[in-house]
Amino acid sequence: MLAPQAREPLAIGGCRRPAASFYRPWVVAPDASGNVYVADYGLGAIRKVTPEGVVTTIAGLWGSPGSADGTGAAAQFLGPSGLVVLASGDIYVADQGNHTIRKIAPGGLVTTFAGTAGVQGSADGQGAAASFYHPFAIAVDSQGNLFVTDKDNKKIRKITPAGVVSTFAGSGAHGQSDGSGTAASFYYPSGIAIDSADNVYVTDAAAIRKITPAGVVTTFAGQAGVCGSNN
């Protein structure tokens, strides 16, 4: 992916644009101190915005896509699309292009937490033994388990704090059937959020799906295959 050329800030209505810039930022997540972290998909980097609006790049290197682990700019990403910040300060990233889940420690050290770069699949297992197919978004429950929308597998995956990956919901076939665990089906799971009771909510094409902690999937809002804007 070619990096955009740096340009001087342009004047707009007598004012200058901010010095900071982004290239296709997709998802933001806050920490307990009010900082906001950004998955900058186009730059292949993770950015930090302080409460005062100061932007820094904490991991990844502008114009250098890849899958290398390392600290700060020595690490590489390929289309990071989702992230979540834990109370510990660890950041977990859905590295969509690499088919992996990456971890960023508070000091900026990036490691591959689950999956193997460049290997797409749907295998359950621990760490590198597991595989994903364009993991899109990520959230965390009250027990520290991660939940990932595994977009092109059409599944919701669960990752324990020890890195054990399992299929939480979804059969892998296109559909929007309600049911329990792998008896349910998804069409295009993308966004994900978890409430205080550990219910998981997923944006799935024209519907919002709800998954209980026991894995029971229902259609919470919208209707499968019916697009529109009705309240």
Side-chain angles (χ1 to χ4, degrees):
M1 180 181 294
L2 294 177
Q5 296 297 311
R7 296 182 176 88
E8 289 296 320
L10 301 177
I12 303 177
C15 299
R16 294 178 69 80
R17 287 182 179 172
S21 58
F22 298 86
Y23 186 32
R24 298 177 71 188
W26 277 25
V27 172
V28 297
D31 69 10
S33 300
N35 300 296
V36 173
Y37 294 84
V38 183
D40 199 336
Y41 180 90
L43 287 184
I46 307 303
R47 319 286 296 280
K48 175 182 177 180
V49 188
T50 69
E52 296 75 32
V54 178
V55 180
T56 55
T57 299
I58 65 165
L61 181 63
W62 181 74
S64 180
S67 60
D69 290 335
T71 300
Q76 295 174 309
F77 298 85
L78 184 60
S81 55
L83 55 77
V84 65
V85 184
L86 274 59
S88 62
D90 292 321
I91 301 170
Y92 290 86
V93 179
D95 195 356
Q96 184 177 181
N98 281 319
H99 311 293
T100 55
I101 305 301
R102 315 289 293 281
K103 176 182 177 180
I104 309 175
L109 175 63
V110 179
T111 54
T112 300
F113 186 64
T116 300
V119 178
Q120 65 189 47
S122 60
D124 292 334
Q126 185 165 15
S131 57
F132 302 86
Y133 190 13
H134 293 142
F136 191 86
I138 189 167
V140 65
D141 72 6
S142 64
Q143 305 302 308
N145 299 298
L146 302 173
F147 290 81
V148 179
T149 49
D150 197 355
K151 181 167 61 71
D152 285 336
N153 276 324
K154 300 168 283 293
K155 295 179 178 182
I156 309 304
R157 313 292 292 281
K158 176 181 177 180
I159 312 175
T160 69
V164 177
V165 180
S166 59
T167 299
F168 184 62
S171 64
H174 271 300
Q176 287 187 314
S177 298
D178 292 337
S180 183
T182 56
S185 59
F186 296 85
Y187 183 75
Y188 193 79
S190 49
I192 191 168
I194 300 178
D195 68 15
S196 59
D198 285 339
N199 296 298
V200 178
Y201 296 85
V202 176
T203 58
D204 186 25
I208 308 300
R209 315 292 293 281
K210 177 181 178 180
I211 314 172
T212 69
V216 178
V217 180
T218 56
T219 299
F220 186 65
Q223 186 176 349
V226 180
C227 300
S229 60
N230 291 339
N231 292 322

